[in-house]
Amino acid sequence: MKKSIITALLLILTLGASAQLMEQREQSGIYSSSAESRQKKTESQIKSEVSETVELMGILSRTAGFEEFSDDLAGQYSKDTETWFAQYKNHPTVAYYKDIRAQYAIAYERVTNMAVHLDIEKGKVKLIGDRGELKNNGWQNVDLDDFLKRLNKFYTDTRFHEFFEQHKPFYDEFLKTYDSYVMGYLHPEWFGRFYNGSEPTEQFRLIIGFTYGTTNNGASRQLPGQPREVFAVCGYNPNSQFSFDTSLPLHEFNHSFVNPLLDKAENAKTMQEVGTGLFQLSQSVMEQLHYNDWHIVINESLVRAAVIVYFYEHGYNKFAVNTLTIETLGKGFPWMLDVVTALRFYSAHRDQYPTLNDFYPEIARCLNKYVEDLKR
């Protein structure tokens, strides 16, 4: 009972503070704009980029009416996209794409997973990497060869490459600005050390999805003989203060490390009961966020907590950390303080828990305690 009262008070404070936080957020360091945060900037090991296949999948999704790719937030680019592709709304590939969305829930991160497993060579779109990675991420019921054939027809008929090339100066100008604001505050070495107690072996890639709007996704792929690639695909939204929010790519990169932990049978068994309980506690809020099962709730909880821990460990000022924490509480994760506390304990006891996988049962115990405390 006591826990529920505290949680309710936190949520009330969250709502009351939201306007002030929006005004002060730029000063907090989340945007990497404060003097204090600028001192922490280092030469980035990665650069933001544009991907023709991400744009292709995003624009196909927009043309098919997928609401998560249909926000008109990109100014002239949105207008150019609509003008160029409006005549193809009844294209056979678009009709087919609508059908597989309805049948197999192709949306959000599933679109991005396909995009990062595509390449374009000599005017042809082709699949690359392990097809099993796609089938494990929502494409298992889709005939991939048939999809690829239809996608190539859309690519050719719409003269997509011509559209993409015409907008290269626009892409390049924004990427240069984005790099100057954000990339120096992303430290990929942290991920390997935090999750596995070792230097990272992954290649980190940050892609701006110029048709993604408010949609941001994480993805990964393994090409033969290459390091595993982890992707943060962040939407372009020039009129929002979130355009240069360092927490967004951090969030998406974390997914490539958090999600595989729950894919392990022993971890799923440990988390299922408490995950189901947490989902039921915040179901209405979670469904508004399109988080429709307990697996997503657990992964999102750990990812969001990990970003807050990253802020702590990289010396972000207290206002930045508190702002991010309060916003997370207000988005349907009232147990976030408990998870952050658990992960900070993990960080301080690496001799006992070399990897986050070793600590996973303790996270489950922490969440179980939260649920049990609510019942008192």
Side-chain angles (χ1 to χ4, degrees), residues 74-89:
Q76 187 60 48
Y77 186 69
S78 292
K79 295 177 183 177
D80 291 352
T81 302
E82 190 63 27
T83 299
W84 190 289
F85 294 96
Q87 62 183 305
Y88 300 106
K89 290 184 183 293

Side-chain angles (χ1 to χ4, degrees), residues 147-340:
F147 173 80
L148 191 62
K149 179 180 178 181
R150 294 171 185 269
L151 183 62
N152 267 291
K153 181 167 178 57
F154 179 83
Y155 181 78
T156 301
D157 291 351
T158 62
R159 306 182 342 270
F160 187 89
H161 185 67
E162 182 181 339
F163 174 86
F164 183 78
E165 286 296 315
Q166 283 186 15
H167 289 84
K168 285 293 289 295
F170 160 71
Y171 302 142
D172 292 343
E173 181 179 359
F174 179 77
L175 295 177
K176 183 178 179 180
T177 303
Y178 188 90
D179 284 353
S180 69
Y181 275 93
V182 175
M183 302 306 283
Y185 302 91
L186 302 182
H187 304 286
E189 69 278 2
W190 177 85
F191 292 88
R193 295 170 187 168
F194 181 77
Y195 286 100
N196 301 313
S198 60
E199 293 299 315
T201 58
E202 294 81 6
Q203 179 182 354
F204 289 76
R205 297 182 62 182
L206 196 160
I207 295 173
I208 301 299
F210 287 88
T211 314
Y212 273 52
T214 58
T215 295
N216 305 282
N217 294 139
S220 64
R221 74 181 183 195
Q222 179 69 65
L223 300 181
Q226 300 293 324
R228 176 174 174 255
E229 295 172 276
V230 295
F231 295 85
V233 181
C234 297
Y236 171 73
N237 186 0
N239 298 317
S240 169
Q241 57 183 328
F242 296 102
S243 295
F244 304 110
D245 186 343
T246 57
S247 72
L248 295 180
L250 289 171
H251 180 112
E252 302 308 337
F253 280 137
N254 271 288
H255 269 298
S256 291
F257 296 86
V258 166
N259 292 17
L261 295 175
L262 191 54
D263 290 339
K264 297 183 178 183
E266 65 272 22
N267 289 339
K269 184 178 179 181
T270 300
M271 282 291 189
Q272 182 172 3
E273 183 177 353
V274 69
T276 301
L278 293 174
F279 177 68
Q280 291 171 347
L281 282 173
S282 295
Q283 185 167 353
S284 60
V285 178
M286 293 299 168
E287 288 179 345
Q288 290 176 22
L289 295 169
H290 304 282
Y291 300 161
N292 54 13
D293 70 36
W294 69 266
H295 299 82
I296 299 175
V297 173
I298 292 297
N299 286 336
E300 286 291 332
S301 297
L302 293 184
V303 162
R304 291 166 187 265
V307 174
I308 294 170
V309 171
Y310 179 99
F311 273 31
Y312 274 115
E313 295 187 354
H314 287 87
Y316 280 74
N317 63 51
K318 290 181 179 180
F319 187 83
V321 177
N322 292 341
T323 298
L324 186 59
T325 304
I326 291 174
E327 287 181 349
T328 304
L329 287 166
K331 289 180 179 177
F333 296 87
W335 51 85
M336 188 51 51
L337 295 175
D338 301 71
V339 183
V340 170

